[in-house]
Amino acid sequence: MPGLGKAVEPGQRERRLPGIHHSPLAKWGLVPFDPTRETTSASPGGVDRCFYEGSSWIYSYFVPHDFARLIELSGGSKAYCKRLQFALGDNLIDFGNEPSFLTPYSFIYAGRTDLCSFWVRRNIFNYTESGFPGDEDGGAMSAWYVFAALGLMPNAGQDVYLLSGPLYPRATLTMENGKQIVIEGVNASADNLFVQSLTINGAPWPRAWLRHDDIKNGATLRFVMGPQPSGWGSTEPPPSGR
């Protein structure tokens, strides 16, 4: 993974670093490797795909089971956020495919819920009346939009939901057991993208995550939204790995 374990300055463009990739299709040896692409140059007999629906850059953030360890290996929270900000700002992360769905939410594990909300909202507005920002893949893209707009994103395979704040003033979800989850967004708007506070069933909730047990019997989540970061949710990261 490019830059893993090393602090990367924005000017040090890893996309320019030379590299090689040993391809089973390359009968004559080694082929060039570009960390920004999912394919190598044409190999004898066809094009070799060294990554699927992503690049080395994209997959360097695809550690949904243990973001805490990834952040540690990246040099800590500050270095991790700096590197990810660079990747997002330089369009090295493609939100048009599933491997990047959780990437902006990883900021929560690094204590930067404000950056999570900023980049989630930025991607929300890539969805337009003209279509999705990538392959719909049987509902994957639209599902991402729905969860992101609700401000409640599941980390698949876990009982953890990551919270970024809702786009709309109110939404009601009715679960299979008949219980309802009500999500309220006080002051929710396109400009008010940062969570100022959250209560669940009337009690203050300082964390930018929750478990399924917290909502499985119904719950009311009341987000207060604002135009500036508040520091909410930055002190207790979600459970991760070990």
Side-chain angles (χ1 to χ4, degrees):
M1 292 183 283
L4 194 60
K6 298 180 181 179
V8 178
E9 297 299 325
Q12 296 175 333
R13 298 173 63 86
E14 298 167 39
R15 60 169 65 201
R16 295 179 182 172
L17 295 178
I20 55 175
H21 169 65
H22 187 73
S23 165
L25 295 179
K27 299 178 182 177
W28 300 326
L30 302 172
V31 295
F33 167 66
D34 183 345
T36 70
R37 297 172 58 86
E38 67 177 71
T39 59
T40 66
S41 57
S43 304
V47 175
D48 186 20
R49 201 168 193 173
C50 44
F51 290 91
Y52 188 76
E53 294 191 349
S55 64
S56 177
W57 262 103
I58 288 170
Y59 275 97
S60 72
Y61 296 101
F62 188 65
V63 191
H65 59 287
D66 199 353
F67 278 121
R69 178 63 172 156
L70 175 62
I71 291 167
E72 179 186 344
L73 289 172
S74 298
S77 295
K78 186 175 181 180
Y80 179 83
C81 291
K82 186 175 184 179
R83 181 177 185 269
L84 182 50
Q85 281 271 76
F86 170 68
L88 291 164
D90 213 41
N91 295 319
L92 295 172
I93 305 300
D94 175 21
F95 288 114
N97 271 311
E98 289 85 348
S100 298
F101 277 6
L102 277 182
T103 299
Y105 291 92
S106 68
F107 280 121
I108 294 176
Y109 293 82
R112 292 298 305 271
T113 54
D114 57 323
L115 292 178
C116 170
S117 295
F118 175 83
W119 287 105
V120 167
R121 192 64 62 91
R122 174 76 67 88
N123 190 42
I124 280 177
F125 292 113
N126 288 328
Y127 289 72
T128 68
E129 294 180 355
S130 300
F132 303 100
D135 187 352
E136 167 64 334
D137 273 354
M141 300 297 291
S142 53
W144 187 94
Y145 177 89
V146 170
F147 282 117
L150 290 171
L152 184 78
M153 181 66 66
N155 188 339
Q158 301 181 24
D159 66 341
V160 173
Y161 296 84
L162 305 170
L163 309 177
S164 60
L167 177 62
Y168 301 109
R170 185 180 176 91
T172 301
L173 310 178
T174 301
M175 296 183 286
E176 187 178 11
N177 62 6
K179 305 294 185 179
Q180 291 188 327
I181 300 171
V182 178
I183 300 173
E184 299 176 348
V186 179
N187 303 323
S189 70
D191 295 324
N192 292 336
L193 62 154
F194 299 108
V195 180
Q196 307 298 297
S197 64
L198 168 65
T199 60
I200 297 183
N201 297 329
W205 194 269
R207 299 189 292 273
W209 57 276
L210 52 80
R211 293 188 180 275
H212 187 68
D213 280 348
D214 297 318
I215 57 175
K216 69 180 182 181
N217 293 316
T220 297
L221 284 65
R222 189 175 189 267
F223 292 88
V224 176
M225 307 297 293
Q228 298 295 329
S230 68
W232 170 84
S234 62
T235 60
E236 187 176 342
S240 178
R242 300 179 298 277

